[in-house]
Amino acid sequence: MGIIKRYLAFVKPYRWRIIGTLLIGIIKFAIPLLIPFLMKYVIDDIISVSNMSADEKTRKLFVTMIIMLVIFAVIRPPIEYYRQYFAQWTASKILYDIRDRLFTHIQKLSFKFYSNTRAGEVISRVINDVESTKDFVITGLMNLWLDAATVVIAIGIMLTMDIPLTFVSLAVFPLYMISVKYFFGNLRRLTRERSQALAEVQSYLHERVQGMSVIKSFAIEDHEQTQFDKNNSNFLQKAIKHTNWTAKAFAVVNTITDIAPLIVIAYAGYQVIHGNLTLGTMVAFMGYVERLYNPLRRLVNSSTTLTQSIASMDRVFELADEKYDIDDAPDAVEVKEVNGNIQFDHVTFAYDTDEKPVLKNINLNVKEGETIALVGMSGGGKSSLVSLIPRFYDVSEGAVLLDGTDIRKFKVRSLRDKIGMVLQDNILFSDSVKENILLGKPDSTEEEVIRAAKAANAHDFIMELPKGYETTVGERGVKLSGGQKQRVAIARVFLKNPPILILDEATSALDLESEHLIQEALDELAKNRTTFVIAHRLSTITHADRIVLIEHGEIVEVGTHQELMEKKGHYYDLFQVQQLN
């Protein structure tokens, strides 16, 4: 099975530890098999011996039990400990490696993937589904084989005692195999459907917890409860269907395994009555039948667990197989020195091949150190245009060139390393202020962090926070105001010190004082850098070297503020409307 072969690639580095754990496990599982044999010995060779005195029988029993006590109380506990420890350690290491690989993978996936996939779905696969595959290691690679070894050892011992009775004990075994094959054929599909339904519940919950302020502000708790109940009910139906099938399987298999001891009692009792079998052998066989069919019952549990694990593997590798929309070309090179000349050469762009282009035949040549303001109505294509520069998306036609070279010839990470971005809604992580600024350049010193914060007009408010730079900002920076979040975001770009700067609505929706402080910081940041500014408030970009008006994905007008005002075209009309407001 291909999916298991792929999973075993993660297991391979730990194969010797797994083999060692199995060997320890065989000893651990073999020790309890002494109990039925001990019962036979005590009954046939001590209790039932007529020519031995009570004192001799007692001494023999005492010596035998001392030996057994040493085996069970001294030898077995450390064996049990190391079996459990090595099994869990190995499984945890394998899961660590898988999650590590998945996180590397999801960081490479494009914005297109994340725009079409809910965050909760990704989290469910990386956390829940990966965790479910642990059972494949513990059960499939260890316990399954140990149970099989227990069955083989038990049958071997039984054959040495009485061959016909051994075959009687195994009479229902074919029925057991047929029932397992029948019932567990559909279980993988049912398990996968159940896992998908659970992931949908988690995704919905993740989104609603993040958007709880919207739910409360619109007083739509009842509506959201109804919507959640739909998702929850879907999961309930899948879970009940899965449970129903599993319950049937257990009912049939356990009935079959429960019949086996009855057959053994009937046959062995008959043989004992007619003097063909000792009482000790009959008692021992009853013990071995229990130890024979207990592992078989566990194998049914294991089948359920393994089916769950394999269904989870399907989902894990489905995520791992997501293609990269943006990837390095085989001959891609590092971006080294950057002057900052950027050219859009007949660029057309659509988010999907079956959608209409959002940018059409864009031609724009931006010189080193120039500040370009992109203006126009919402949905015109401004943000789409600047998202092509760091290759968040690739052009559908044409090319974007950096210093005369198509950016697709550069390694993506090295290209993005030369670009700084300040957005309208900057994401801050729930770390300290210092850690959020350090995202700009993680190996920076504390002095460099403070210098960047001062340049962003952020140092003063940071020092007023309860723990200064060590203050945690909460999820998405919830503990900071909009203006404070923006200044922290600007500080990390100052720290990064990139030659190319993109400012996407960086001062919108702020109060006047915050806007003044941030505009001052942005003007300082833009010095000697090629800068793209997207702004709805035209009064904030009148200083730009050139203003580019984009409407319906096309460049309509280009010029300085003065030139465009004198032209009295679309830009002039927009500016006049805003001045009147």
Side-chain angles (χ1 to χ4, degrees):
M1 193 181 292
I3 208 82
I4 292 178
K5 189 176 180 182
R6 291 181 66 181
Y7 194 86
L8 289 175
F10 289 96
V11 175
K12 191 176 180 183
Y14 306 101
R15 62 189 181 280
W16 292 112
R17 191 170 286 263
I18 289 173
I19 291 169
T21 305
L22 282 172
L23 293 175
I24 294 170
I26 289 171
I27 298 170
K28 180 259 178 186
F29 275 80
I31 289 174
L33 293 176
L34 293 171
I35 295 291
F37 192 80
L38 174 66
M39 293 168 68
K40 172 181 166 29
Y41 176 75
V42 169
I43 293 170
D44 288 348
D45 297 332
I46 299 178
I47 296 173
S48 300
V49 178
S50 56
N51 60 354
M52 191 185 298
S53 69
D55 287 342
E56 284 180 293
K57 288 180 180 180
T58 303
R59 188 174 62 255
K60 201 170 182 181
L61 178 63
F62 184 75
V63 170
T64 302
M65 296 317 296
I66 288 291
I67 294 168
M68 287 295 123
L69 193 64
V70 170
I71 292 172
F72 279 88
V74 178
I75 296 174
R76 191 170 184 246
I79 290 173
E80 175 67 27
Y81 168 80
Y82 283 111
R83 190 195 81 83
Q84 286 288 348
Y85 176 79
F86 288 140
Q88 294 296 331
W89 184 93
T90 305
S92 297
K93 282 289 289 179
I94 291 167
L95 263 58
Y96 168 86
D97 292 345
I98 293 171
R99 286 200 180 101
D100 201 52
R101 184 80 63 85
L102 278 179
F103 188 72
T104 301
H105 174 68
I106 64 177
Q107 287 192 99
K108 293 180 181 178
L109 291 172
S110 68
F111 280 85
K112 182 179 178 181
F113 169 80
Y114 288 105
S115 64
N116 294 324
T117 309
R118 295 198 290 187
E121 174 80 13
V122 178
I123 293 167
S124 179
R125 296 197 187 205
V126 177
I127 302 299
N128 298 343
D129 287 314
V130 171
E131 190 65 28
S132 291
T133 68
K134 184 178 184 178
D135 290 323
F136 177 77
V137 181
I138 299 292
T139 303
L141 299 181
M142 296 182 191
N143 292 353
L144 198 68
W145 296 106
L146 293 175
D147 281 334
T150 302
V151 169
V152 170
I153 293 169
I155 291 172
I157 295 171
M158 291 161 73
L159 286 169
T160 62
M161 290 194 294
D162 194 288
I163 293 174
L165 187 52
T166 302
F167 284 109
V168 169
S169 303
L170 297 172
V172 299
F173 195 73
L175 290 175
Y176 166 85
M177 298 299 294
I178 292 167
S179 61
V180 167
K181 185 177 180 181
Y182 171 75
F183 280 106
F184 291 92
N186 288 329
L187 203 57
R188 182 177 176 184
R189 176 183 59 80
L190 293 171
T191 305
R192 183 178 171 82
E193 289 175 0
R194 179 180 174 277
S195 297
Q196 179 62 35
L198 180 60
E200 287 170 6
V201 173
Q202 183 166 329
S203 295
Y204 187 89
L205 190 61
H206 181 266
E207 286 182 343
R208 265 50 186 186
V209 168
Q210 284 191 323
M212 194 55 72
S213 59
V214 176
I215 294 171
K216 288 183 176 297
S217 63
F218 283 92
I220 53 172
E221 287 89 345
D222 291 344
H223 170 76
E224 287 302 319
Q225 185 68 53
T226 303
Q227 295 302 113
F228 180 76
D229 286 346
K230 286 181 182 177
N231 283 279
N232 208 16
S233 295
N234 180 51
F235 170 65
L236 178 63
Q237 289 170 13
K238 302 294 184 190
I240 289 174
K241 196 172 180 181
H242 179 274
T243 301
N244 178 48
W245 194 255
T246 306
K248 286 179 183 175
F250 276 99
V252 172
V253 170
N254 286 339
T255 300
I256 291 170
T257 54
D258 286 343
I259 290 171
L262 301 178
I263 297 173
V264 171
I265 291 170
Y267 178 82
Y270 178 84
Q271 294 297 328
V272 171
I273 290 168
H274 289 82
N276 299 324
L277 195 71
T278 66
L279 182 62
T281 302
M282 178 181 173
V283 172
F285 254 86
M286 288 310 303
Y288 281 120
V289 165
E290 195 61 30
R291 280 160 177 75
L292 180 66
Y293 282 98
N294 270 346
L296 291 178
R297 290 188 189 101
R298 282 199 299 271
L299 287 173
V300 176
N301 279 321
S302 299
S303 300
T304 308
T305 304
L306 286 174
T307 304
Q308 171 72 59
S309 291
I310 293 167
S312 293
M313 281 183 207
D314 285 337
R315 287 168 49 76
V316 167
F317 287 117
E318 190 174 62
L319 175 61
D321 289 339
E322 283 289 342
K323 302 296 183 192
Y324 303 138
D325 292 321
I326 310 297
D327 208 356
D328 291 332
D331 57 347
V333 297
E334 297 276 341
V335 178
K336 292 180 181 174
E337 292 300 316
V338 171
N339 295 322
N341 294 301
I342 295 176
Q343 182 183 353
F344 293 88
D345 183 18
H346 295 90
V347 167
T348 295
F349 169 68
Y351 285 98
D352 276 306
T353 51
D354 57 348
E355 291 182 2
K356 290 198 302 185
V358 292
L359 295 171
K360 305 162 194 169
N361 198 34
I362 298 290
N363 287 287
L364 182 65
N365 203 342
V366 181
K367 297 172 185 173
E368 174 186 348
E370 195 174 13
T371 295
I372 299 293
L374 303 173
V375 300
M377 300 296 285
S378 294
K382 305 182 296 297
S383 294
S384 299
L385 185 67
V386 296
S387 69
L388 299 176
I389 301 170
R391 285 191 72 195
F392 292 156
Y393 302 93
D394 271 338
V395 298
S396 303
E397 295 176 23
V400 179
L401 295 96
L402 173 60
D403 296 332
T405 302
D406 190 326
I407 59 172
R408 287 170 292 192
K409 294 183 179 178
F410 294 125
K411 290 184 177 177
V412 175
R413 286 181 62 180
S414 69
L415 171 68
R416 291 173 185 168
D417 191 48
K418 304 299 181 185
I419 301 167
M421 300 189 74
V422 182
L423 310 175
Q424 179 180 355
D425 182 22
N426 287 284
I427 301 296
L428 300 186
F429 296 130
S430 55
D431 295 321
S432 65
V433 173
K434 179 183 174 182
E435 289 298 322
N436 273 285
I437 294 174
L438 278 170
L439 292 174
K441 188 183 174 191
D443 58 351
S444 300
T445 64
E446 191 166 345
E447 290 74 21
E448 289 173 319
V449 170
I450 293 171
R451 198 180 309 130
K454 285 180 176 177
N457 286 330
H459 178 73
D460 291 343
F461 91 77
I462 292 172
M463 294 309 294
E464 291 172 4
L465 295 172
K467 294 182 181 178
Y469 281 85
E470 298 302 326
T471 305
T472 55
V473 301
E475 190 171 1
R476 298 176 69 90
V478 69
K479 294 181 183 178
L480 303 181
S481 70
Q484 289 171 334
K485 282 170 64 177
Q486 289 295 77
R487 280 178 274 170
V488 171
I490 293 167
R492 65 188 179 198
V493 178
F494 265 112
L495 191 62
K496 185 176 185 179
N497 194 27
I500 300 166
L501 186 62
I502 296 172
L503 309 174
D504 190 349
E505 298 287 352
T507 61
S508 66
L510 297 175
D511 58 79
L512 290 174
E513 183 181 358
S514 294
E515 184 180 1
H516 171 72
L517 288 168
I518 289 169
Q519 193 61 56
E520 194 177 84
L522 291 176
D523 290 343
E524 181 63 30
L525 184 60
K527 283 181 181 176
N528 304 316
R529 304 177 204 272
T530 303
T531 304
F532 292 83
V533 183
I534 296 176
H536 278 125
R537 211 172 302 168
L538 302 183
S539 58
T540 62
I541 49 89
T542 55
H543 64 286
D545 296 312
R546 277 188 294 164
I547 296 168
V548 178
L549 177 66
I550 300 178
E551 290 184 357
H552 307 298
E554 297 180 278
I555 295 176
V556 179
E557 294 176 353
V558 180
T560 63
H561 171 71
Q562 192 62 39
E563 289 170 350
L564 293 177
M565 290 301 288
E566 289 173 1
K567 188 177 179 182
K568 293 192 176 182
H570 291 274
Y571 177 82
Y572 175 84
D573 294 339
L574 278 175
F575 195 85
Q576 292 297 110
V577 168
Q578 287 194 7
Q579 291 299 101
L580 288 172
N581 291 338

